[in-house]
């Protein structure tokens, strides 16, 4: 245990006993495909009764018209975030008819690329931009990759913690904004060193339907009639079968500082890529992509974690961080857990919070190119072979067994869990650590391991198995009550969101080409506030 780590733990002891960690803020974004009663992706429009997917704050779509996305407000209590997420499901099921919400990260049965309908956000310039961006994703990566679903977990620490931590570190001569941004990047670097922990513990995608791979076997084993299965994978979603981009792999996005991170992203957004140039941007009056650059916009960059700040209406995400620093981080490597109706539960949230605070408080040297390559290799090994008891991870000092590494990390997290529980009697963070520790030497008890075993024992195909879970979840939502006030709120938001979309469409006074030109001209402007660097 380093001197810095011990000093921070000791310095935060008194504030923790006063409830400091009870003010952690979190929000959950959950995706889920709409499917029919046979487990096939549907092509029906997003239900009008759920509101406008362009303007509704909580119910929208991700890439596809069929890919629901739920966004909770920010809460301090995990139970409140989960309750809100549950009510978004209950409200949706009221208008889904015979459709179900797919419980797995890897998609339901598909019928080729065109069976994944691109989301339509209406005729406004903003809505058209969303559509054209998705056209570009289709052209670059295909729609099938975009049908994968997951959980995004947004996490921020209370202002009081940053004040205490800055004093403990003796950094009062640095602006609060700069200190916070640097510390969040410290967290991010340690997360990237250890994100494989979350992929091992919570990965839940060891199987795919054959339709996803369109005739390829990808080194997986045939199972049942329509399934390809891995005996060792933790999360195929995070493997090269899931989100991948050979162009992006050349970017070497740097997480050593906010300035470097923004600079690398901005370079990618303005740098043309020959293959994309050959496809064209606007061809015969049809927009194929927003531009022919390495990234169309910042959101196209895939990563297991991102620094974030809520942007104002006249800002891009990076401009918001340039101006006011990092506000929160977004964890993006979490599979849907098909064993729970919400795809995530309180134990997992308490563990993730403990893990993120450990990443923050632990020493976090900058990552050089050699270490970056090792980290990529370690993640790749865990996502494909995490349940292989003989798996070893690579470090500068040599290779080490995965289980040994996990034991060491759980031990290092123990004082963090104790610190975070010091104001409560329930010991939720320590219980989460204890409950998940048994998975270290029992990969068959991880979600991926349980899913693999159940499919093996029953002989069920992936679609059949997932469809059974979807029906169980739908029944649970039907039998559990919805908060009446939230029901009323969601009713109100339906009409409000449709009205907002109409007003957006009516207020446009320039054509889309001019709108896009102005957007990118504005996006290239620097909005640096020295306190953010």
């Amino acid at each position: 245990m380093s001197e810095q780590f011990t000093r921070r733990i000791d310095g935060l002891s008194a504030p923790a006993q006063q409830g400091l960690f009870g003010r952690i803020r979190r929000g959950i974004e959950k995706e889920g495909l709409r499917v029919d009663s046979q487990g096939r992706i549907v092509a029906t429009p997003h239900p009008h009764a759920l509101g406008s997917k362009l303007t509704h704050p909580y119910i929208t779509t991700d890439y596809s018209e069929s890919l629901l996305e739920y966004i909770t407000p920010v809460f301090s209590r995990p139970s409140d975030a989960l309750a809100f997420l549950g009510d978004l499901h209950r409200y949706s099921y009221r208008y889904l008819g015979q459709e179900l919400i797919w419980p797995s990260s890897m998609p339901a049965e598909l019928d080729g690329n065109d069976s994944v309908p691109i989301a339509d956000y209406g005729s406004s310039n903003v809505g058209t931009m969303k559509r054209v961006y998705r056209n570009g994703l289709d052209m670059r990566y295909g729609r099938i990759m975009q049908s994968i679903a997951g959980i995004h977990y947004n996490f921020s620490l209370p202002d009081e913690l940053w004040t205490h931590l800055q004093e403990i570190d003796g950094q009062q001569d640095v602006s609060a904004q700069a200190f916070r941004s640097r510390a969040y990047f410290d967290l991010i670097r340690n997360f990237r060193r250890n994100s494989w922990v979350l992929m091992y513990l919570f990965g839940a995608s060891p199987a795919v339907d054959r339709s996803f791979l369109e005739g390829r076997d990808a080194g997986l084993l045939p199972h049942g009639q329509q399934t390809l299965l891995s005996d060792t994978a933790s999360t195929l979603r995070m493997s090269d079968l899931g989100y991948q981009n050979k162009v992006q792999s050349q970017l070497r996005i740097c997480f050593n500082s906010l300035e470097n991170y923004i600079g690398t992203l901005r370079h990618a957004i303005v740098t043309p890529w020959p293959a994309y140039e050959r496809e064209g941007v606007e061809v015969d009056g049809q927009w194929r992509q927003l531009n022919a650059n390495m990234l169309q916009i910042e959101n196209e960059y895939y990563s297991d974690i991102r620094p974030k700040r809520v942007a104002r209406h006249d800002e891009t995400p990076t401009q918001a961080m340039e101006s006011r620093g990092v506000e929160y981080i977004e964890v993006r490597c979490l599979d849907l857990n098909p064993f729970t109706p919400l795809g995530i539960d309180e134990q997992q949230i308490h563990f993730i919070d403990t893990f993120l605070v450990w990443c923050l408080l632990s020493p976090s040297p900058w990552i050089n190119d050699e270490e970056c390559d090792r980290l990529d290799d370690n993640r790749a090994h865990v996502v494909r072979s995490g349940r292989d008891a003989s798996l070893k991870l690579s470090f500068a000092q040599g290779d080490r067994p995965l289980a040994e590494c996990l034991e060491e990390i759980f031990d290092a997290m123990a004082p963090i869990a104790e610190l975070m529980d010091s104001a409560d009697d329930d010991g939720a963070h320590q219980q989460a650590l204890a409950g998940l520790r048994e998975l270290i030497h029992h990969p068959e008890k991880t979600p991926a391991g349980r899913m693999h075993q159940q499919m093996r024992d029953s002989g069920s195909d992936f679609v059949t198995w997932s469809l059974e879970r979807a029906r169980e979840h739908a029944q649970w939502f039907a039998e559990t009550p919805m908060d009446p006030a939230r029901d009323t709120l969601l009713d109100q938001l339906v009409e409000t969101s449709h009205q907002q979309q109409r007003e957006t469409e009516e207020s446009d006074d320039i054509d889309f080409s001019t709108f896009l030109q102005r957007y990118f001209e504005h996006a290239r402007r620097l909005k640096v506030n020295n306190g953010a660097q």
Side-chain angles (χ1 to χ4, degrees):
M1 195 178 297
S2 73
E3 179 183 344
Q4 178 194 52
F5 185 78
T6 302
R7 184 177 69 250
R8 287 176 163 182
I9 292 284
D10 292 343
L12 292 173
S13 178
Q17 292 173 20
Q18 297 167 6
L20 176 68
F21 288 100
R23 295 193 285 275
I24 284 175
R25 294 164 60 81
R26 62 187 58 76
I28 301 171
E29 302 171 26
K30 177 190 179 280
E31 303 157 345
L33 275 179
R34 289 185 292 115
V35 303
D36 65 18
S37 59
Q38 301 304 307
R40 297 176 296 236
I41 187 174
V42 299
T44 53
H46 181 76
H48 185 273
L50 296 184
S52 164
K53 52 188 174 291
L54 178 68
T55 56
H56 198 294
Y58 307 129
I59 302 175
T60 182
T61 57
D62 193 75
Y63 174 84
S64 173
E65 189 77 4
S66 306
L67 188 55
L68 285 168
E69 181 175 9
Y70 297 128
I71 304 168
T72 75
V74 175
F75 292 100
S76 289
R77 294 195 303 181
S79 58
D80 291 339
L82 293 173
F84 196 101
L85 182 60
D87 280 348
L88 294 178
H89 286 76
R90 294 182 185 92
Y91 192 84
S92 298
Y93 265 117
R94 190 178 299 168
Y95 303 105
L96 289 184
Q98 298 303 307
E99 294 177 358
L100 295 164
I101 300 172
W102 196 242
S104 296
S105 279
M106 301 309 284
E109 184 179 343
L110 307 173
D111 186 19
N113 193 68
D114 291 345
S115 69
V116 183
I118 299 177
D120 183 354
Y121 293 90
S123 61
S124 68
N125 285 328
V126 172
T128 301
M129 184 175 176
K130 286 178 172 287
R131 172 77 187 204
V132 173
Y133 169 60
R134 285 159 173 76
N135 290 345
L137 296 179
D138 177 19
M139 184 270 294
R140 295 172 180 215
Y141 322 117
R143 301 185 196 180
I144 286 179
M145 187 179 89
Q146 308 295 329
S147 65
I148 298 171
I151 296 273
H152 294 172
Y153 185 74
N154 299 313
F155 172 92
S156 65
L157 293 154
D159 292 343
E160 299 94 323
L161 184 139
W162 294 114
T163 301
H164 288 299
L165 197 57
Q166 193 166 358
E167 292 175 356
I168 293 167
D169 287 357
Q171 295 288 312
Q172 293 92 331
D173 58 331
V174 177
S175 74
Q177 181 176 308
F179 178 82
R180 184 176 307 199
S181 291
R182 292 173 188 173
Y184 269 127
F185 270 82
D186 290 345
L187 185 162
I188 288 170
R189 287 194 300 278
N190 277 335
F191 182 94
R192 289 184 61 78
R193 290 181 171 102
N194 301 287
S195 61
W196 59 266
V197 173
L198 301 185
M199 298 178 201
Y200 172 82
L201 294 173
F202 305 121
S205 49
V208 297
D209 186 72
R210 285 184 181 273
S211 62
F212 177 78
L213 292 176
E214 298 185 297
R216 295 174 292 139
D217 63 27
L220 302 175
L221 302 173
H223 172 79
Q225 295 182 335
Q226 292 294 328
T227 299
L228 293 170
L229 183 64
S230 170
D231 288 338
T232 60
S234 294
T235 166
L236 293 176
R237 167 180 171 263
M238 295 299 296
S239 75
D240 55 358
L241 300 184
Y243 291 111
Q244 55 164 319
N245 183 342
K246 291 183 173 59
V247 175
Q248 289 190 28
S249 67
Q250 301 182 40
L251 292 176
R252 301 194 75 89
I253 295 288
C254 177
F255 290 92
N256 286 332
S257 72
L258 175 60
E259 183 179 20
N260 287 342
Y261 174 78
I262 290 175
T264 314
L265 271 184
R266 182 162 283 139
H267 169 76
I269 293 165
V270 301
T271 302
W273 190 253
Y276 301 158
E277 288 183 308
R278 287 192 292 271
E279 294 288 342
V281 177
E282 185 183 12
V283 180
D284 298 328
Q286 300 295 316
W287 287 86
R288 295 185 176 180
Q289 51 187 335
L290 294 176
N291 55 53
N293 299 333
M294 296 178 77
L295 299 177
Q296 298 174 88
I297 56 176
E298 298 157 21
N299 287 346
E300 189 174 340
Y301 172 60
Y302 300 131
S303 177
D304 52 10
I305 189 170
R306 283 181 183 166
K308 300 289 287 283
R309 171 167 283 279
V310 175
R312 297 167 181 163
H313 76 280
D314 62 341
E315 293 178 319
T316 67
T318 54
Q319 285 175 333
M321 287 192 291
E322 277 183 316
S323 179
R324 300 183 303 285
V326 180
E327 182 179 12
Y328 65 98
I329 56 102
E330 178 187 41
V331 174
R332 300 169 52 83
C333 62
L334 303 173
D335 285 358
L336 298 177
N337 182 349
F339 294 99
T340 178
L342 299 177
I344 187 171
D345 59 21
E346 282 200 56
Q347 182 191 57
Q348 184 174 351
I349 289 175
H350 288 305
F351 181 91
I352 294 170
D353 289 347
T354 308
F355 179 80
L356 293 174
V357 173
W358 172 69
C359 287
L360 171 70
L361 298 184
S362 300
S364 183
W366 282 22
I367 297 174
N368 59 30
D369 288 348
E370 180 183 357
E371 183 181 9
C372 190
D373 290 339
R374 273 201 313 274
L375 300 183
D376 289 343
D377 289 343
N378 284 342
R379 280 191 295 274
H381 291 323
V382 172
V383 301
R384 278 287 201 159
S385 305
R387 291 182 292 116
D388 181 348
S390 66
L391 178 63
K392 293 185 177 182
L393 303 183
S394 176
F395 300 90
Q397 299 80 11
D399 294 347
R400 298 178 59 198
L402 178 141
E404 179 183 302
C405 298
L406 280 169
E407 288 280 10
E408 184 177 281
I409 290 172
F410 269 66
D411 288 344
M413 288 172 60
I416 298 291
E418 184 178 355
L419 180 73
M420 296 176 72
D421 285 336
S422 58
D424 299 308
D425 296 329
D426 59 4
H429 299 88
Q430 294 171 88
Q431 288 183 30
L433 215 58
L436 291 166
R437 187 183 278 270
E438 79 166 312
L439 304 188
I440 294 175
H441 297 286
H442 292 281
E444 74 278 3
K445 295 184 178 181
T446 63
R450 292 170 62 195
M451 186 174 172
H452 175 270
Q453 190 63 51
Q454 289 187 15
M455 290 175 60
R456 282 290 193 195
D457 290 346
S458 65
S460 296
D461 274 301
F462 166 68
V463 167
T464 302
W465 185 89
S466 296
L467 190 57
E468 290 175 358
R469 304 291 82 72
R471 290 170 178 155
E472 292 170 358
H473 297 172
Q475 185 66 27
W476 183 82
F477 288 121
E479 293 174 352
T480 51
M482 183 170 180
D483 180 272
R486 197 167 290 140
D487 197 347
T488 301
L489 170 66
L490 294 175
D491 276 341
Q492 294 170 345
L493 286 172
V494 170
E495 180 52 38
T496 300
S497 64
H498 283 305
Q499 179 62 32
Q500 288 173 333
Q501 177 170 336
R502 288 191 292 269
E503 292 172 353
T504 300
E505 292 170 350
E506 292 168 359
S507 67
D508 281 343
D509 57 2
I510 55 175
D511 61 28
F512 179 65
S513 180
T514 303
F515 170 84
L516 202 59
Q517 179 183 354
R518 291 181 182 177
Y519 174 87
F520 284 117
E521 286 175 353
H522 180 78
R524 284 190 284 269
R525 298 174 189 163
L526 297 178
K527 293 190 69 174
V528 175
N529 177 330
N530 289 333
Q533 300 304 313

